[in-house]
Amino acid sequence: MQDLLTDVLHDTLSMLPFLYAAYVFMEYLEHKSNDKMQRLLAGTRRFGPLVGSVLGIVPQCGFSVIAGGLYMNGSITLGTLIAVFVSTSDEAIPILIAQPNQLDVLLQVIAVKLVIGCISGYLIDLLVKQHHMKENHPLHDIHEHCDEEQKKHPSIFAIAFLHTLKIFLFIFCVNFIISFIIHEFGEEALAQFLGAGSFLQPLFASLVGFIPNCAASVILSQLFIDGVVSFGALTAGLITSAGLGLLVLFKMYDNKKDICRILGILFIIALVTGSILQILS
């Protein structure tokens, strides 16, 4: 057990500098560009899905929250919201950046999610012309949690350090659990349990992606790095893993039928995309 802990700690520590650098960059972007991105997304009705899918790629946790708030206020269309959610990868990008040997995977994930987000966004806007609004919270309430965090830790380096520490501990736990299961039961047993090589894996990953915090993208990314899940399953899970955007909708959006519709659309897109990639790989 001690050897297992030592090996996992060694492997996880090696990614720590890259992870911290990625979070410093993300915090810088979030502090400098949130307002500009919000105005850009709200002001591009015709090109909403294209702009949304491009901006959703930017690795900052708050952008899916911004999109959720703009959708609730009627500033963007359903297709634009879906484009943002599909292209958002939550914590997966910094984790993959922290693994230099996964650069090609990172670029493939970004490319696939960008294309799928844009296409699905425009298709949805062709089919769905409007959504019915109910009484919701003002847009400024959406950022309440982020503002409180910035007041407590005004330095981007401090905020990045806290994010890095939290994700580092989470990755360590996930890595240890995976290593322990492989050590006790073997890699084949774990692969079979997760449906390796079958259409069930993108299905499972799509459902895992709906976990409304960073856990889903961290787990899926680490499972892929460890060779347990396929690229198709990773992509499927990251399509439904829309960061805090879904959590904001559940908390502040009163139209629960519309939320269910959004979840269903994301699930179908994720399952179809993941299954196709599974077949092609």
Side-chain angles (χ1 to χ4, degrees):
M1 182 66 70
Q2 186 175 353
D3 291 340
L4 189 62
L5 281 169
T6 302
D7 291 340
V8 172
L9 182 61
H10 178 269
D11 292 340
T12 312
L13 280 173
S14 63
M15 68 184 297
L16 197 55
F18 299 98
L19 197 61
Y20 180 66
Y23 277 116
V24 169
F25 177 67
M26 288 166 58
E27 288 301 326
Y28 175 80
L29 284 178
E30 190 156 0
H31 278 69
K32 294 294 183 181
S33 60
N34 258 355
D35 291 339
K36 293 179 181 179
M37 288 185 172
Q38 180 173 318
R39 290 194 296 269
L40 177 60
L41 186 62
T44 53
R45 291 270 183 172
R46 186 175 180 182
F47 301 100
L50 174 60
V51 174
S53 58
V54 172
L55 294 181
I57 293 297
V58 179
Q60 52 173 304
C61 64
F63 194 64
S64 62
V65 174
I66 291 174
L70 291 173
Y71 176 72
M72 286 188 288
N73 284 353
S75 299
I76 62 174
T77 64
L78 176 61
T80 301
L81 177 73
I82 293 297
V84 173
F85 281 3
V86 168
S87 63
T88 298
S89 297
D90 204 18
E91 304 294 342
I93 286 183
I95 291 174
L96 292 174
I97 289 176
Q99 299 281 348
N101 62 330
Q102 300 292 338
L103 179 60
D104 58 333
V105 174
L106 174 61
L107 295 177
Q108 290 173 35
V109 168
I110 290 175
V112 169
K113 285 163 67 67
L114 178 63
V115 172
I116 297 300
C118 185
I119 293 175
S120 58
Y122 277 111
L123 182 60
I124 289 167
D125 277 349
L126 284 174
L127 300 175
V128 180
K129 297 301 181 183
Q130 62 182 359
H131 65 281
H132 299 287
M133 303 302 300
K134 294 186 178 181
E135 190 67 28
N136 292 293
H137 298 259
L139 185 59
H140 61 78
D141 289 345
I142 303 295
H143 306 286
E144 192 174 290
H145 174 73
C146 296
D147 292 339
E148 288 178 359
E149 186 179 47
Q150 290 176 9
K151 289 177 181 177
K152 292 178 182 178
H153 309 284
S155 169
I156 63 172
F157 298 100
I159 298 175
F161 176 77
L162 292 176
H163 284 177
T164 301
L165 182 62
K166 181 179 72 173
I167 299 301
F168 171 80
L169 293 174
F170 199 92
I171 292 174
F172 175 81
C173 293
V174 172
N175 248 339
F176 177 76
I177 292 172
I178 294 172
S179 299
F180 178 79
I181 293 174
I182 292 176
H183 181 267
E184 293 295 320
F185 304 102
E187 189 171 347
E188 291 185 2
L190 178 61
Q192 289 179 359
F193 176 74
L194 294 173
S198 75
F199 71 94
L200 291 176
Q201 199 171 76
L203 172 63
F204 292 153
S206 300
L207 295 175
V208 170
F210 281 123
I211 298 174
N213 56 34
C214 65
S217 56
V218 173
I219 291 172
L220 290 167
S221 300
Q222 200 56 50
L223 286 172
F224 175 80
I225 291 171
D226 291 339
V228 180
V229 300
S230 67
F231 179 75
L234 172 67
T235 305
L238 293 182
I239 285 176
T240 55
S241 181
L244 297 176
L246 287 175
L247 193 60
V248 165
L249 290 180
F250 276 110
K251 184 178 180 181
M252 298 185 173
Y253 191 25
D254 297 325
N255 193 335
K256 303 306 178 186
K257 289 184 179 180
D258 201 18
I259 294 176
C260 291
R261 178 173 65 170
I262 291 168
L263 294 178
I265 291 171
L266 284 175
F267 179 72
I268 292 172
I269 294 171
L271 187 58
V272 171
T273 303
S275 299
I276 291 174
L277 291 173
Q278 184 99 331
I279 293 171
L280 296 177
S281 61

